[in-house]
């Protein structure tokens, strides 16, 4: 179960790397200035916030079902991105892809946290993080292939169609998490948009969200401009 779930994390990092490390290549392919493409990237990044209400469906539909749906929609939107002829179409398809990419990535971590035994949970999440980090390496390798193929920048998004295989595998092998089944049977699921968090964990949650949010705020812009400087 860990391998296909880790691959969903891989493509989340791959997407981040693609719009940062691969930004100059994408901008040139679409005939845009790096500044204009940066505006498009900002809009795409903001679309990630839309994954919050989508993720709340995990307490209604279940982790398994929502993971399948998000993987399928992300893959379709990514494939359509390869057909984009301008910035507007590119941004629209990537906004859709980004919403469900963030959803599937979060669900992968959630499934590991709920299914792995406590003494193995940290190791499982660590493997997820290590495999996810390989997304930058994949983008770096594909940048070298862009001049060698007639697809040009579109090869990035053709490569991102691979999650279709993950959908098929998980459809056959992934069961619903035992934690979700137990909560459903005991009527402990929270279907409201704003979940109730106990006072004991509320402060820790706020600190974690602030820390991760601050890191993400500087990560994208840092990689974006560093890659632009390196290629110029």
């Amino acid at each position: 179960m860990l391998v296909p779930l880790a691959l969903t994390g891989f493509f989340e990092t791959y997407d981040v790397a693609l719009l940062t490390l691969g930004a100059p290549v994408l901008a040139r392919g679409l005939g845009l200035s790096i500044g204009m493409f940066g505006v498009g990237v900002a809009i795409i990044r903001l679309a990630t916030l839309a994954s919050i209400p989508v993720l709340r469906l995990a307490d209604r539909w279940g982790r398994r079902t929502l993971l399948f749906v998000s993987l399928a929609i992300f893959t379709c939107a990514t494939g359509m991105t390869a057909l984009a002829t301008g910035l507007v179409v590119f941004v629209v398809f990537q906004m859709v892809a980004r919403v469900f990419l963030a959803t599937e990535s979060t669900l992968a971590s959630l499934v590991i946290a709920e299914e792995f035994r406590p003494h193995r949970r940290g190791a499982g999440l660590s493997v997820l993080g290590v495999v996810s980090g390989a997304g930058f390496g994949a983008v770096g390798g594909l940048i070298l292939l862009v001049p060698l193929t007639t697809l040009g920048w579109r090869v990035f998004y053709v490569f991102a169609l691979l999650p279709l295989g993950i959908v098929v595998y998980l459809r056959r092998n992934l069961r619903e998490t035992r934690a979700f089944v137990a909560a459903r049977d005991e009527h402990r699921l929270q279907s409201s948009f704003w979940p109730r968090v106990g006072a004991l964990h509320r402060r820790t949650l706020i600190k974690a969200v602030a820390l991760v949010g601050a890191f993400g705020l500087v990560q994208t812009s840092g990689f974006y401009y560093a890659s632009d400087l390196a290629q110029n």
Side-chain angles (χ1 to χ4, degrees), residues 127-138:
V127 171
L128 177 64
V130 170
V131 175
S132 298
F136 279 96

Side-chain angles (χ1 to χ4, degrees), residues 65-121:
T65 300
L66 187 57
L67 184 60
F68 294 151
V69 171
S70 58
L71 272 168
I73 296 178
F74 156 71
T75 306
C76 291
T78 299
M80 295 298 289
T81 302
L83 303 177
T85 56
L87 180 62
V88 174
V89 178
F90 179 89
V91 168
V92 169
F93 284 137
Q94 277 300 287
M95 286 177 67
V96 175
R98 187 63 198 171
V99 170
F100 291 95
L101 180 59
T103 301
E104 71 184 49
S105 176
T106 303
L107 284 172
S109 298
L110 179 60
V111 169
I112 290 174
E114 291 187 342
E115 281 294 280
F116 278 52
R117 297 174 182 176
H119 65 283
R120 294 183 177 178
R121 192 172 297 148

